[in-house]
Amino acid sequence: MIGVFDSGFGGLTILRSFLTRLPQYDYTYLGDNARTPYGNKSQAVIYAYTRQAVEFLFDRGCVLVILACNTASAKALRRIQQEFLPARFPDRRVLGVVIPLAEAGVDVSRYGRIGVIGTRATIESGVYEQELSKLRPDLKVFGQACPLLVPLVEEDWVGKPETNMILKKYLFRIKRKKIDTLILGCTHYPFLQKDIERIMGKNCRVLNGPETVSDKLIDYLSRHPEIDQRLGRNRIVNFFTTDDPARFRLLGQKFLRHNIPEVERAVFEN
Ligand code: DGL
């Protein structure tokens, strides 16, 4: 079983891509809708919530968990890998989305000028700058927090003039830096991809998170047969949310672009 965790609905875009590219595996998705958004929370809180979620997914038989949430990947992944897994689950793995996106950014960047947009927590963590400069020290990286975009996507305001006006305001700040590549460092931004591409223009490549993360997962599984062999291949997909399952089913289908037959409630103690 592969676990996919997000603070809410956004990670369903990553799951959608896994189901298209790697349909043979079993998946369990967990959305922490009751405590979303993570993007404005402190590191301690994001770590505590993410650790609970990972443990929940392990308890349900996941051998590998993907943190589809950029904020959780930026603020909690390293500590989970360095402290939590060795102490409690040394034979399981947790991967995030930041390193795959950073690697893809370095691969496609022509002039070494990369922009990153994300939640406030992701951008303030500086994690993209760190990972990108480990891969290519001479890169110039420009981050821009876009805290208004997640609620606009969730409220279905994509394509509205007001949303495009806000997008332009955020994007012009990094467009001015003459970036050649833009990393969409948040689960929700693929919904705005077309508008972002139009605003950034032809000279800037906009990286799509779900496709990039699926490519990297395929590569990871081929390099780690010891994990791959332990994953179920019965095409089972389970959904859990910490909030109302009926609402998750209804709205989640929009993100997944597929029917969600059943959703169960995951209960966490605060
Ligand atoms: N999933 C979060 C991310 O990718 C966005 C939503 C939130 O702030 O929780 O950063």
Side-chain angles (χ1 to χ4, degrees):
M1 187 78 80
I2 299 176
V4 180
F5 169 64
D6 184 47
S7 56
F9 296 112
L12 290 168
T13 57
I14 304 267
L15 178 64
R16 184 176 79 206
S17 178
F18 290 167
L19 292 175
T20 309
R21 313 277 302 277
L22 294 152
Q24 67 274 32
Y25 294 104
D26 300 337
Y27 294 92
T28 295
Y29 184 91
L30 170 63
D32 193 4
N33 298 78
R35 303 189 291 197
T36 202
Y38 280 17
N40 299 319
K41 292 190 167 63
S42 68
Q43 168 137 31
V45 168
I46 296 166
Y47 173 72
Y49 288 178
T50 305
R51 202 189 67 176
Q52 264 183 335
V54 166
E55 195 160 359
F56 176 89
L57 288 166
F58 284 166
D59 285 347
R60 264 139 204 90
C62 295
V63 172
L64 172 67
V65 170
I66 311 295
L67 303 183
C69 178
N70 272 266
T71 305
S73 300
K75 291 285 201 174
L77 178 63
R78 189 170 301 162
R79 203 168 146 203
I80 283 181
Q81 288 174 334
Q82 290 177 355
E83 294 174 22
F84 182 61
L85 291 186
R88 299 277 313 279
F89 298 95
D91 62 336
R92 318 270 182 113
R93 295 291 174 270
V94 179
L95 304 174
V97 291
V98 170
I99 292 176
L101 283 165
E103 286 173 353
V106 168
D107 286 349
V108 302
S109 176
R110 282 168 300 162
Y111 310 117
R113 298 183 73 81
I114 299 186
V116 183
I117 56 174
T119 63
R120 198 168 273 140
T122 297
I123 298 305
E124 282 176 7
S125 74
V127 70
Y128 275 99
E129 282 89 337
Q130 286 161 25
E131 295 303 334
L132 285 162
S133 61
K134 268 190 225 161
L135 297 164
R136 209 181 124 180
D138 65 319
L139 281 179
K140 291 268 178 297
V141 185
F142 305 94
Q144 173 65 48
C146 305
L148 293 173
L149 299 185
V150 166
L152 288 169
V153 170
E154 296 214 340
E155 294 300 323
D156 230 344
W157 277 48
V158 175
K160 293 200 180 189
E162 296 86 344
T163 303
N164 285 329
M165 196 186 75
I166 291 167
L167 254 185
K168 273 187 197 146
K169 207 161 168 77
Y170 284 141
L171 294 176
F172 277 168
R173 296 190 191 152
I174 41 176
K175 194 175 174 179
R176 247 188 264 138
K177 309 283 183 192
K178 306 244 176 300
I179 56 170
D180 63 68
T181 303
L182 178 64
I183 294 176
L184 303 188
C186 174
T187 45
H188 289 57
Y189 301 172
F191 287 94
L192 299 160
Q193 179 136 0
K194 284 207 178 76
D195 296 316
I196 293 173
E197 278 169 349
R198 203 189 49 249
I199 296 167
M200 294 309 294
K202 281 198 296 292
N203 294 330
C204 179
R205 176 97 178 255
V206 179
L207 276 185
N208 179 298
E211 273 172 28
T212 307
V213 174
S214 308
D215 286 345
K216 298 287 178 187
L217 180 59
I218 292 169
D219 178 52
Y220 176 85
L221 293 174
S222 73
R223 287 185 292 108
H224 293 275
E226 76 288 0
I227 298 291
D228 186 50
Q229 278 155 15
R230 290 165 62 204
L231 300 173
R233 288 167 166 78
N234 301 297
R235 296 175 182 250
I236 295 166
V237 189
N238 301 316
F239 295 91
F240 288 89
T241 175
T242 52
D243 205 340
D244 177 21
R247 185 165 183 268
F248 183 94
R249 233 192 109 225
L250 202 72
L251 293 177
Q253 293 179 156
K254 189 181 82 182
F255 282 80
L256 193 64
R257 294 207 192 123
H258 201 275
N259 177 42
I260 298 180
E262 202 192 329
V263 182
E264 288 176 68
R265 178 119 191 263
V267 181
F268 293 150
E269 279 167 32
N270 259 318

